[in-house]
Amino acid sequence: MVSTFVKPMHREGIRFVAIFAAVTAGLFFLTPVAGWLGVGLTVWCYYFFRDPERVPPERDGLVVSPADGIVSLIEPAVPPAELGMAATPLTRVSVFMNVFNCHVNRAPVAGHVTSIAYRSGKFFNASLDKASADNERNSLCIRTPAGDDLAVVQIAGLVARRIVCWTSEGDALAAGERFGLIRFGSRLDVYLPPGVSPKVRIGQTMVAGETVIAELAGTAGPGQTP
């Protein structure tokens, strides 16, 4: 029962929870009402930085969601130019995270990080289409063992003002492995390789590292059609 409500917190959240707790202690000296409001906000801050374990699918070639949230867009789009990928439209699946979602980001596929590119920008609502082009972002290109290139982009939102990426170029990532985090409310875009169709719909709820977004060509399991 306890594990259902109490989740591990990522280390990125320690100082924020400490700040919220210190402010809350001060608020109690002013008025109990303000103090209890601070308690609620401190609990929310802890919950925002929760980092539960996830169990990715074991079959190779599956593309999993890089974030918790809702599929907000599925459309053709050119990957960020700074990644140096071909300027050809690919299917882009966008997952919008609100301030109540877990914000730890996970690798959508297994592979090596061939490039990482950060670009400063604006802070429009991350659910808007223009956020992909105009907002602050950090982009990664991951090459799978089969040679497919897949882009995943961390996009800051209206409230989020800090993109964290602790992965470097050349690193090997497992599908579902943690690679970054965004504070506080944002979006992840996944650009699928050519010819790969999504298996999700707009409005569908995603679980980072577990929900299958797509299947790479030629990787269908026994008895399945690629």
Side-chain angles (χ1 to χ4, degrees):
M1 179 67 72
V2 173
S3 62
T4 301
F5 299 99
V6 179
K7 302 295 183 182
M9 183 179 68
H10 195 275
R11 62 182 182 275
E12 286 283 336
I14 294 176
R15 66 188 180 98
F16 289 94
V17 172
I19 291 171
F20 273 67
V23 171
T24 296
L27 290 175
F28 270 112
F29 283 102
L30 297 177
T31 168
V33 174
W36 284 112
L37 177 61
V39 169
L41 291 174
T42 302
V43 171
W44 167 80
C45 186
Y46 150 76
Y47 193 66
F48 177 88
F49 285 102
R50 67 194 183 280
D51 186 16
E53 292 298 326
R54 297 289 166 78
V55 182
E58 293 185 356
R59 187 152 58 85
D60 294 336
L62 297 180
V63 181
V64 297
S65 178
D68 287 6
I70 299 293
V71 176
S72 59
L73 291 169
I74 300 177
E75 60 186 1
V78 176
E82 58 267 25
L83 279 179
M85 299 174 67
T88 304
L90 302 174
T91 299
R92 180 177 69 197
V93 179
S94 300
V95 180
F96 174 71
M97 299 179 287
N98 63 37
V99 295
F100 298 105
N101 290 127
C102 175
H103 273 57
V104 174
N105 306 145
R106 295 172 180 267
V109 291
H112 282 81
V113 180
T114 58
S115 60
I116 299 177
Y118 169 81
R119 198 205 71 170
S120 61
K122 303 182 185 301
F123 297 96
F124 293 123
N125 188 319
S127 64
L128 299 177
D129 184 31
K130 64 181 179 180
S132 293
D134 297 334
N135 281 23
E136 177 183 9
R137 68 189 182 214
N138 185 65
S139 307
L140 291 78
C141 181
I142 302 174
R143 180 163 295 165
T144 71
D148 293 309
D149 285 335
L150 181 147
V152 57
V153 185
Q154 299 169 286
I155 301 173
L158 185 64
V159 181
R161 300 286 163 149
R162 178 75 169 113
I163 294 175
V164 179
C165 179
W166 47 77
T167 294
S168 303
E169 291 185 7
D171 285 353
L173 293 174
E177 182 176 347
R178 301 167 179 87
F179 76 87
L181 177 148
I182 314 178
R183 306 191 299 254
F184 284 94
S186 41
R187 172 173 146 189
L188 268 287
D189 284 351
V190 175
Y191 291 81
L192 300 174
V196 177
S197 299
K199 295 181 177 291
V200 294
R201 296 182 178 181
I202 292 176
Q204 185 173 340
T205 299
M206 299 285 101
V207 177
E210 294 187 351
T211 306
V212 174
I213 289 181
E215 184 171 5
L216 301 179
T219 59
Q224 293 180 306
T225 302

